[in-house]
Amino acid sequence: MARTAVAMRFDRSDGVFCHVTSLPGPHGIGDLGEGAREFLGFLGKAGVDLWQICPLGPTTEVAGDSPYQSPSAFAGNPLLLGLDRLVEEGALRPSELEPVPDFPDDRVEYDAVRAYKLPLLRTAFERFDGSPTAEAAADLDAFREREPWLADYALFRALSAARPEDTWMEWPEPLRTREPDALAAAREEHAEEVRYHEFLQWTFDRQWRELREVAADNDVSIVGDVPIYVSLDSADVWANPDAFHLDEGNRPTAVAGVPPNPGDDGQRWGNPVYDWESLAEREYDWWIARFRRLFELADVARLDHFLGFVRYWAIPADADDPGAGEWREGPGRELFERVERELGDAPFIAEDLGFEDERMDALAYEFGFPGMRVPQYADWCEEGNPYQPMHYPEATVGYTSTHDTDTWMGYYGALPDHQRDCLHYNLGADGEGSIEWDIVEAVWASEAIVAMTTPQDLLGLGSDARFNEPGTARGNWEWRLTAGALDDAIADRLWELGEFHVR
């Protein structure tokens, strides 16, 4: 039998979705240190093939520390740097880590983490900057040469630090519109701060590559995440104005969102939309660079809001009403043909939830990108409902829950009685056992090419362990896994499921 397009890019496999910030560790936030290594060891023992994460970019307080609203689509988050790794290489002294604040172990307090970690990272930089070894200096120079986005990103962060109350759109016009003399003067004026941010990114890159080696040793591949849109206040928009619909002063003329539907007023996201015609003339160079960087950090990539590559809702920047927008054409197959020419058969997952569009489905099918299915969207009493795991087609990634949904137990607890009865019937469950493992097994047993769960669902945790609730500004991205919670018994059970269902 001929293999399907999706089976050409993916093996039948399984995974766990857990962002780095959620991992255990001693310094208030999951990082690239020992907690991540222990988590990869758990995945290896469980025979799990994939570790899915949210975007790795820096986060900001003003955006609620959402990894989907970053000042860069290329950079790594310095808060994820492992301090113990810096001690091991002599950039920090053990005594400088003391006293460690009494951080909670089940959630991230971002302000407290910043107050503790950022001064230590500054100390590590100053120690390095004062007397780098010849080998380290050469390695940093090679990183600068290899990553062309770094210079603009570091200058952007330096200028942002000098003007903390402003977005780049409030900067003086010569800086806002990137006049060469103004950029050169700013680079000289803020040279030390630029070097600081280059150091942080070089350190992140080294620590992440070391972690990828640990993943490979455990036969685990990493699934990264590509938000289709970037933050307006980002190095991406400031440094690449021709890639976006901006006016002569480099301010957006249109922003992204979704149109009104029966029962809602639509959404105005506020991200600048791409100038796909300009990008096509440049052979999609910015997107190729973005994907190339992503595949330096991950093995597989989830494409958020995949519909936006086919068509997208553009709202005039001066309009508050999402209904004032219009549908515009995206790049479609032309972009992904270019990606294949440059990067080969890149393994993408198409996030297609919430929209029905024949052209979107056809694009994903043509290139072998599996879509997504989440059982929390199911009508359990409707025969043949496509979100019931027994009806997942091969060309999908089946999840028990995602970062944007409630946990499985939170969802289950809120189900109306008749839906819960139908769910029990569909899963062959009596409601008396571990319903969280019933849904894991149902997803693992499905035809979906990839089956994915979360630590919260493996542990049977309720809504208080939810990672993110879209449309809310506070309390998101904070949940953490406590040390030792994912034990050998859970690993053994996952391994048995994977073996039984040929994953």
Side-chain angles (χ1 to χ4, degrees):
M1 184 189 304
R3 300 182 73 194
T4 61
V6 74
M8 297 292 286
R9 294 182 190 258
F10 291 84
D11 294 324
R12 184 170 167 85
S13 53
D14 54 10
V16 174
F17 188 168
C18 181
H19 191 40
V20 180
T21 58
S22 293
L23 297 175
H27 300 132
I29 188 172
D31 60 32
L32 308 186
E34 192 59 31
R37 285 160 171 74
E38 291 177 357
F39 178 70
L40 285 166
F42 165 83
L43 296 182
K45 181 176 177 58
V48 167
D49 306 297
L50 301 168
W51 173 23
Q52 183 172 340
I53 56 176
C54 294
L56 288 168
T59 62
T60 63
E61 183 179 2
V62 70
D65 284 292
S66 168
Y68 293 88
Q69 288 288 339
S70 176
S72 173
F74 294 78
N77 188 348
L79 295 181
L80 302 182
L81 291 175
L83 298 180
D84 290 335
R85 313 302 289 180
L86 290 172
V87 169
E88 290 174 11
E89 62 187 34
L92 290 173
R93 301 186 181 102
S95 61
E96 290 172 331
L97 272 57
E98 302 296 336
V100 178
D102 186 21
F103 292 116
D105 63 1
D106 60 349
R107 69 185 186 281
V108 181
E109 292 182 346
Y110 284 95
D111 289 345
V113 169
R114 284 191 186 88
Y116 174 66
K117 292 191 79 167
L118 292 184
L120 291 170
L121 296 177
R122 181 75 66 171
T123 297
F125 160 71
E126 291 171 351
R127 185 165 288 135
F128 169 85
D129 198 49
S131 56
T133 65
E135 181 181 4
D139 193 61
L140 175 53
D141 284 341
F143 178 67
R144 291 187 180 107
E145 182 71 21
R146 188 174 72 244
E147 303 296 344
W149 55 270
L150 180 63
D152 281 325
Y153 167 77
L155 180 58
F156 176 84
R157 295 308 298 266
L159 290 169
S160 296
R163 304 170 183 274
E165 301 303 318
D166 296 336
T167 69
W168 67 266
M169 288 173 294
E170 282 78 55
W171 292 353
E173 184 175 353
L175 289 175
R176 189 178 73 248
T177 58
R178 298 179 56 80
E179 293 182 10
D181 289 346
L183 295 182
R187 199 172 295 280
E188 181 176 352
E189 179 184 356
H190 302 288
E192 182 175 338
E193 190 72 8
V194 167
R195 293 197 306 276
Y196 169 61
H197 287 285
E198 291 175 337
F199 167 81
L200 292 179
Q201 292 308 308
W202 171 63
T203 303
F204 182 94
D205 192 77
R206 290 184 297 118
Q207 289 196 4
W208 185 258
R209 289 175 188 273
E210 291 173 2
L211 194 62
R212 284 199 72 184
E213 292 178 4
V214 177
D217 290 343
N218 285 281
D219 295 322
V220 174
S221 297
I222 295 173
V223 182
D225 202 326
V226 183
I228 184 171
Y229 294 116
V230 297
S231 174
L232 174 57
D233 191 22
S234 67
D236 308 303
V237 182
W238 175 68
N240 303 278
D242 291 343
F244 302 87
H245 276 294
L246 308 180
D247 63 20
E248 293 180 356
N250 284 5
R251 293 186 173 90
T253 60
V255 297
V258 291
N261 289 301
D264 69 60
D265 299 324
Q267 297 177 32
R268 184 186 188 278
W269 296 337
N271 310 76
V273 297
Y274 297 101
D275 186 338
W276 288 114
E277 291 184 4
S278 173
L279 283 163
E281 292 172 359
R282 296 156 44 184
E283 298 184 319
Y284 302 104
D285 56 349
W286 184 85
W287 273 98
I288 297 299
R290 185 180 184 188
F291 286 143
R292 181 174 283 115
R293 175 59 176 164
L294 179 79
F295 286 115
E296 291 177 358
L297 304 174
D299 305 286
V300 180
R302 169 187 175 270
L303 297 174
D304 191 42
H305 193 60
F306 186 66
L307 177 65
F309 294 106
V310 177
R311 61 188 177 103
Y312 63 97
W313 190 250
I315 304 166
D318 58 1
D320 294 327
D321 179 12
E326 62 179 7
W327 286 110
R328 297 181 184 176
E329 289 296 300
R333 70 192 312 272
E334 187 177 84
L335 169 63
F336 294 104
E337 287 177 338
R338 186 69 193 174
V339 170
E340 287 198 339
R341 287 196 294 271
E342 293 288 335
L343 304 178
D345 292 336
F348 289 115
I349 296 168
E351 188 276 294
D352 55 356
L353 299 170
F355 293 95
E356 294 184 6
D357 187 280
E358 291 183 359
R359 290 193 299 149
M360 175 183 70
D361 295 341
L363 181 65
Y365 178 82
E366 176 183 358
F367 285 90
F369 303 160
M372 291 175 55
R373 294 291 185 275
V374 184
Q376 296 187 30
Y377 298 155
D379 179 344
W380 295 100
C381 299
E382 178 187 26
E383 184 175 353
N385 184 276
Y387 290 101
Q388 297 170 5
M390 64 286 295
H391 301 301
Y392 293 171
E394 179 189 47
T396 54
V397 179
Y399 291 80
T400 60
S401 64
T402 77
H403 61 296
D404 278 343
T405 69
D406 204 344
T407 66
W408 174 255
M409 291 305 295
Y411 160 82
Y412 176 77
L415 272 179
D417 289 344
H418 70 285
Q419 282 287 321
R420 190 179 293 115
D421 290 342
C422 292
L423 181 153
H424 292 162
Y425 175 80
N426 275 280
L427 299 187
D430 59 12
E432 300 297 326
S434 299
I435 193 66
E436 65 272 21
W437 280 100
D438 291 331
I439 193 61
V440 171
E441 178 153 18
V443 172
W444 258 239
S446 74
E447 293 297 316
I449 193 76
V450 177
M452 193 78 66
T453 189
T454 66
Q456 294 98 313
D457 292 346
L458 292 174
L459 296 168
L461 302 180
S463 298
D464 56 347
R466 182 171 182 161
F467 198 44
N468 177 53
E469 186 172 356
T472 62
R474 297 184 179 277
N476 296 315
W477 319 110
E478 296 178 355
W479 180 83
R480 290 184 73 196
L481 178 67
T482 55
L486 294 178
D487 57 21
D488 288 350
I490 294 175
D492 291 345
R493 193 164 183 178
L494 268 180
W495 185 88
E496 291 170 359
L497 280 177
E499 285 290 297
F500 186 79
H501 296 293
V502 197
R503 293 196 180 274

